[in-house]
Structure formats: structure tokens, C-alpha cells
């Protein structure tokens, strides 16, 4: 084998690996964490009661085969209403629901502890980002015909 060809092989292998990384989806790059469903219009009248506020939520799913730490990850809307995940892991093939109102956090449900709604009924976008700011996934809707959206 010629010296020039041997010298080019490591660079070529790196380019192939880099290309594979660039072609993966954001969810794959994040280990399979996605926004699975958004319930943006809580049932009944919008009274701002805690029950009504908790009627709107975002469900996050780990589609991967191992647990992933969400510490510092951010869920937000275009108006920059942010929820920052505490030191929590989402198990393989598990879900975490993030509710707007107040409550006691569990491994499956987190609360933003807000006194006003976050998600607009007519149109909005939920975006999930890593602590570094790298976008992982987003989900948008533009309808009043339904109260939720599977992303």
C-alpha cells in the first residue's frame, strides 16, 4: 500500500464517522428523547385554577434503550416561558409529563409551578433543548379543533 493512501485512510474514516453524525436526527443525537405529546388546551373553562393549569402538559419520551439524565435540559415556548429540568433521569422507554401548575414532583410527573397558562390553544411550539442549548426536538400546532397533539 502506498504511503499516501495509508495516510488518507484515517482521515477518510473520520469523515465517514462525521458524516454519520451529521445525518442522524436530533432525537437520535440526544439518545432518543423526544416530545411525544402536548395537551395544550386544558379541559373546560380556562379559570387559572391549579386543576385547570395542570390540565395542560407536555409529555417527553425516551425512545432509547438506556436512561438519560435531563438535568439542566429546558422545555420552552417561543415567548421564552422556560421549564428547566431538575436532576432527573428518564428511564429507557419511559415518559415524563411536565404540567403547567403546581404539585409534588414524582419520577413520572414534573410541575412548572406557574399561575398562568403556557401553551397557546390556537398555535404554539414546544421546544426541548439540552443544558448546552442544543435543540433536541420541537412540536408545533396551529389548530383549535383539538386539545392535544401527538408529535
Amino acid at each position: 500500500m502506498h504511503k499516501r493512501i495509508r495516510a488518507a485512510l484515517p482521515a477518510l474514516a473520520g469523515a465517514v464517522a462525521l458524516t454519520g453524525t451529521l445525518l442522524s436526527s436530533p432525537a437520535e443525537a440526544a439518545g432518543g428523547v423526544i416530545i411525544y405529546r402536548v395537551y395544550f388546551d386544558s379541559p373546560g373553562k380556562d379559570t387559572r385554577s391549579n386543576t385547570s393549569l395542570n390540565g395542560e402538559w407536555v409529555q417527553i419520551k425516551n425512545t432509547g434503550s438506556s436512561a438519560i439524565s435531563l438535568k439542566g435540559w429546558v422545555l420552552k415556548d417561543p415567548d421564552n416561558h422556560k421549564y428547566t429540568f431538575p436532576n432527573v433521569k428518564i428511564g429507557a422507554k419511559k415518559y415524563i409529563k411536565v404540567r403547567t401548575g403546581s404539585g409534588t414532583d414524582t419520577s413520572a410527573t414534573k410541575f412548572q409551578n406557574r399561575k398562568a397558562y403556557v401553551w397557546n390553544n390556537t398555535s404554539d411550539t414546544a421546544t426541548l433543548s439540552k443544558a448546552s442549548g442544543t435543540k433536541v426536538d420541537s412540536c408545533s400546532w396551529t389548530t383549535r379543533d383539538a386539545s392535544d397533539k401527538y408529535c
Side-chain angles (χ1 to χ4, degrees):
M1 192 179 247
H2 296 290
K3 284 184 182 180
R4 225 183 316 183
I5 293 173
R6 274 186 281 175
L9 285 177
L12 182 59
V16 170
L18 180 60
T19 301
T21 300
L22 293 175
L23 293 176
S24 63
S25 74
E28 289 169 333
V33 178
I34 61 168
I35 297 174
Y36 179 73
R37 184 177 181 191
V38 179
Y39 205 99
F40 53 85
D41 187 6
S42 64
K45 286 187 166 187
D46 289 346
T47 62
R48 286 196 182 188
S49 70
N50 195 51
T51 300
S52 182
L53 289 167
N54 282 329
E56 72 170 23
W57 44 260
V58 176
Q59 192 172 38
I60 308 296
K61 181 179 182 181
N62 178 358
T63 62
S65 59
S66 59
I68 295 173
S69 173
L70 298 180
K71 183 179 181 181
W73 286 36
V74 175
L75 177 65
K76 71 177 186 173
D77 72 347
D79 292 327
N80 215 27
H81 296 104
K82 293 181 181 180
Y83 171 75
T84 303
F85 284 87
N87 189 10
V88 62
K89 285 187 178 184
I90 183 170
K93 311 293 184 207
K94 299 289 182 185
Y95 300 86
I96 290 180
K97 197 175 278 186
V98 180
R99 295 186 179 272
T100 299
S102 299
T104 303
D105 285 351
T106 68
S107 60
T109 305
K110 302 299 175 198
F111 294 88
Q112 295 191 49
N113 298 313
R114 294 185 181 276
K115 302 291 184 198
Y117 301 98
V118 173
W119 310 110
N120 296 325
N121 297 347
T122 54
S123 66
D124 214 339
T125 300
T127 302
L128 181 65
S129 300
K130 289 183 176 186
S132 65
T134 303
K135 180 180 166 184
V136 174
D137 197 16
S138 66
C139 179
S140 298
W141 56 94
T142 57
T143 181
R144 260 189 91 76
D145 298 336
S147 56
D148 68 329
K149 166 122 188 216
Y150 285 94
C151 304

